[in-house]
Amino acid sequence: MAVVLVAALLGCRGGALQRGILGSAYVSTARPDIAVEAVNMPLLTAGRGSASLVWSDMLGGLPIQMWLAVYGQGGLSPLAIVAQAAVPQGWYWDSISPHFQSVDVGTEVFGGVTYQACTYIVDPSRDPFSGLVTAVQPDGAPQLWMARYFAARFNFNDDKIIMEYREPLPEGIVSLSALPYGQGDLLAAFEQRARDAFAVGVAPQNLGGLQTGYIQGVRWQYMGQNFLGTASKYDIYDLD
């Protein structure tokens, strides 16, 4: 009976957790069972890596295991990011909070799951993905980007899926909360493009050709709570 129960829990995938890049999609067979990719955008770089949440009480920062797929053509073309981030045992992802000075905070549903969402301006100076796009204008000023961020927690808050869609911030825009006259529809149109940018489903049964290498081009020193959010340690009580 125990063998039957274990087999039922593991399912027909043989019980092995598999994560990686299949074609142009990021797939995971558990925690959660998901396949996600950007629509009509080429895969720019993808793979696994590790980050460190320095704003934690762990010496040297909290180690975060990550999978990333980044889509786009570089330069000033739109950019789409798919990430799965896992905290170590004994920790959990905190509730998902909006980015600083974000607007249009709400929820979006992908693959039957509700994701927290917000729109904000990305400053490339300390952004982990600025090496993949244009980060400086010809006059030396930073090239700002407009981003729509989606995030949801899974596996008892041990794992987090993040999707983010970016476009260069239009000239003349300095704040998303006070748009110039005549630009009232800018955010709604951008957020609709962000919503349509991602296709989310379940991981396929056939994972032949799964790629599991390390991602290139990400500035890991800047991968922190601004993109990932914050995590906390479970309280352990001594009942003796």
Side-chain angles (χ1 to χ4, degrees):
M1 179 64 72
V3 172
V4 172
L5 289 174
V6 170
L9 289 172
L10 294 179
C12 58
R13 298 184 189 275
L17 170 61
Q18 293 182 277
R19 291 175 176 166
I21 309 302
L22 187 64
S24 60
Y26 169 69
V27 300
S28 173
T29 60
R31 305 197 298 268
D33 185 334
I34 196 171
V36 54
E37 63 182 316
V39 178
N40 298 324
M41 296 177 69
L43 184 64
L44 186 60
T45 184
R48 55 194 168 112
S50 59
S52 178
L53 283 182
V54 295
W55 290 0
S56 68
D57 60 3
M58 179 172 286
L59 183 64
L62 182 68
I64 305 296
Q65 298 302 310
M66 294 190 66
W67 288 95
L68 282 166
V70 184
Y71 303 83
Q73 296 179 332
L76 292 172
S77 298
L79 194 74
I81 303 160
V82 173
Q84 179 163 5
V87 292
Q89 186 175 9
W91 291 74
Y92 63 92
W93 288 113
D94 295 327
S95 298
I96 298 166
S97 300
H99 281 70
F100 178 65
Q101 294 186 337
S102 59
V103 299
D104 291 354
V105 176
T107 59
E108 301 279 359
V109 176
F110 295 94
V113 175
T114 299
Y115 286 70
Q116 302 299 311
C118 67
T119 301
Y120 72 108
I121 294 175
V122 179
D123 184 339
S125 61
R126 298 181 65 84
D127 178 68
F129 306 102
S130 62
L132 301 172
V133 294
T134 297
V136 180
Q137 298 179 16
D139 62 0
Q143 173 61 58
L144 303 181
W145 290 71
M146 183 166 54
R148 182 68 170 167
Y149 180 91
F150 311 101
R153 297 179 295 171
F154 295 85
N155 189 33
F156 302 102
N157 301 331
D158 286 351
D159 289 81
K160 181 184 286 186
I161 295 288
I162 297 169
M163 298 179 291
E164 186 169 284
Y165 176 78
R166 300 180 176 186
E167 293 179 1
L169 188 69
E171 187 176 353
I173 304 294
V174 296
S175 170
L176 298 181
S177 59
L179 296 175
Y181 179 77
Q183 297 279 6
D185 295 334
L186 182 144
L187 281 179
F190 167 73
E191 289 164 4
Q192 184 61 54
R193 291 193 295 275
R195 191 177 302 116
D196 295 338
F198 298 98
V200 181
V202 297
Q205 293 294 316
N206 183 3
L207 296 179
L210 188 71
Q211 302 295 313
T212 59
Y214 288 91
I215 192 170
Q216 303 296 322
V218 175
R219 302 197 302 169
W220 288 103
Q221 68 271 32
Y222 299 128
M223 183 69 75
Q225 76 171 41
N226 187 49
F227 181 76
L228 294 174
T230 61
S232 296
K233 193 173 185 178
Y234 284 109
D235 292 326
I236 299 177
Y237 299 99
D238 187 356
L239 301 180
D240 293 336

